């Protein structure tokens, strides 16, 4: 089971997530998010992360100026969480030379059709709940979708489950979806952008509990 702790803003939280065993560390470059950080801030945080933990730059419809700024950082993976077309995904993958996670919003069965469009161009997918119409950001809204939509489904590339995951519901989420990678942010916070180190450790320990694979 791999875990991505997203929305990191402080060096002590980076250290705590890595120590707890996170496989991915997510840094958000989207100003409307309360977890937004600048490229300069992110550079310091990324350089403080231990080797072996993937540093993910989370973007929403990034322009070329931001992409060029990110290319100067020790980024391992680019996450695209906006309305990027498959063509734009391919372009950014070539431009950065980075593997790409494409996030897709899911609310109903028809939303799964878009997976076929992005599977040929992305390296991984992130299946998140589609945000409410009034939402100001496409993810990080602490909402889950109907996990039964993913039951007994397989795709030709790795994927992460996101949206409303907590230590209390991940057993059910894994049982229904068969997910082997989990992404979360607000569930392990004491305030937006401020991670709770105990919650991080508890979530990862629970996600990797042997009982979940029985």
């Amino acid at each position: 089971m791999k875990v991505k702790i997203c929305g990191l803003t402080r060096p002590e939280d980076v250290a705590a997530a890595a120590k707890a065993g996170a496989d991915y560390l997510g840094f958000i470059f989207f100003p409307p998010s309360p977890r937004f950080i600048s490229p300069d801030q992110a550079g310091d945080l990324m350089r403080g992360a231990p080797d072996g933990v993937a540093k993910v730059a989370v973007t929403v419809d990034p322009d070329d100026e931001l992409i060029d700024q990110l290319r100067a950082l020790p980024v391992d993976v680019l996450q695209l969480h906006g309305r990027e077309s498959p063509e734009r995904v391919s372009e950014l993958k070539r431009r950065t030379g980075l593997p790409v996670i494409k996030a897709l919003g899911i609310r109903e069965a028809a939303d799964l059709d878009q997976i076929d469009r992005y599977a040929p161009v992305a390296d991984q997918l992130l299946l998140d709940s589609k945000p409410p119409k009034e939402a100001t950001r496409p993810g990080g809204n602490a909402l889950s979708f109907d996990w039964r939509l993913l039951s007994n489904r397989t795709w030709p590339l790795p994927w992460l489950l996101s949206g409303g995951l907590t230590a209390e519901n991940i057993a059910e989420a894994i049982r229904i979806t068969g997910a082997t990678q989990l992404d979360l942010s607000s569930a392990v916070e004491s305030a937006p952008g401020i991670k709770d180190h105990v919650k991080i450790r508890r979530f990862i320990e629970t996600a990797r509990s042997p009982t979940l694979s029985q």
Side-chain angles (χ1 to χ4, degrees):
M1 181 61 63
K2 292 186 176 181
V3 176
K4 174 170 170 272
I5 301 297
C6 203
L8 295 160
T9 63
R10 306 188 303 169
E12 58 266 40
D13 297 344
V14 169
K19 183 177 180 181
D23 301 280
Y24 306 91
L25 304 175
F27 304 89
I28 296 178
F29 300 89
F30 183 57
S33 171
R35 303 166 187 93
F36 165 76
I37 55 175
S38 70
D40 286 343
Q41 292 172 308
D44 291 338
L45 294 176
M46 289 178 177
R47 283 185 282 271
D51 294 337
V53 184
K55 299 172 287 295
V56 182
V58 180
T59 65
V60 178
D61 298 308
D63 58 22
D64 290 345
E65 180 181 358
L66 174 58
I67 291 298
D68 287 342
Q69 290 177 304
L70 296 181
R71 290 175 67 186
L73 303 180
V75 176
D76 298 307
V77 182
L78 176 65
Q79 180 174 318
L80 302 173
H81 213 117
R83 298 178 181 271
E84 303 88 1
S85 67
E87 293 74 21
R88 179 62 168 165
V89 173
S90 292
E91 177 189 352
L92 293 178
K93 186 174 176 178
R94 290 193 301 269
R95 187 183 183 95
T96 62
L98 294 172
V100 171
I101 297 173
K102 179 64 183 90
L104 301 175
I106 307 297
R107 181 181 298 138
E108 55 191 33
D111 293 323
L112 298 175
D113 294 343
Q114 59 188 320
I115 291 176
D116 292 334
R117 297 176 56 223
Y118 287 96
V121 295
D123 296 279
Q124 299 199 57
L125 299 175
L126 186 146
L127 305 182
D128 196 0
S129 57
K130 184 175 285 187
K133 291 182 179 180
E134 68 277 8
T136 59
R137 54 188 189 272
N141 295 295
L143 299 174
S144 60
F145 59 93
D146 185 353
W147 296 322
R148 292 173 296 180
L149 295 173
L150 306 184
S151 181
N152 299 315
R153 298 291 300 266
T154 59
W155 292 282
L157 72 172
W159 58 278
L160 299 92
L161 180 65
S162 185
L165 296 173
T166 67
E168 289 71 34
N169 67 19
I170 52 174
E172 180 183 14
I174 293 169
R175 177 181 61 80
I176 293 173
T177 68
T180 59
Q181 300 191 101
L182 306 172
D183 171 271
L184 74 159
S185 180
S186 60
V188 289
E189 290 183 334
S190 57
I194 307 299
K195 302 305 184 196
D196 183 310
H197 301 176
V198 173
K199 289 182 178 180
I200 290 175
R201 186 174 65 252
R202 179 173 175 239
F203 183 93
I204 294 177
E205 288 176 348
T206 303
R208 293 183 178 149
S209 170
T211 61
L212 296 191
S213 61
Q214 294 178 357

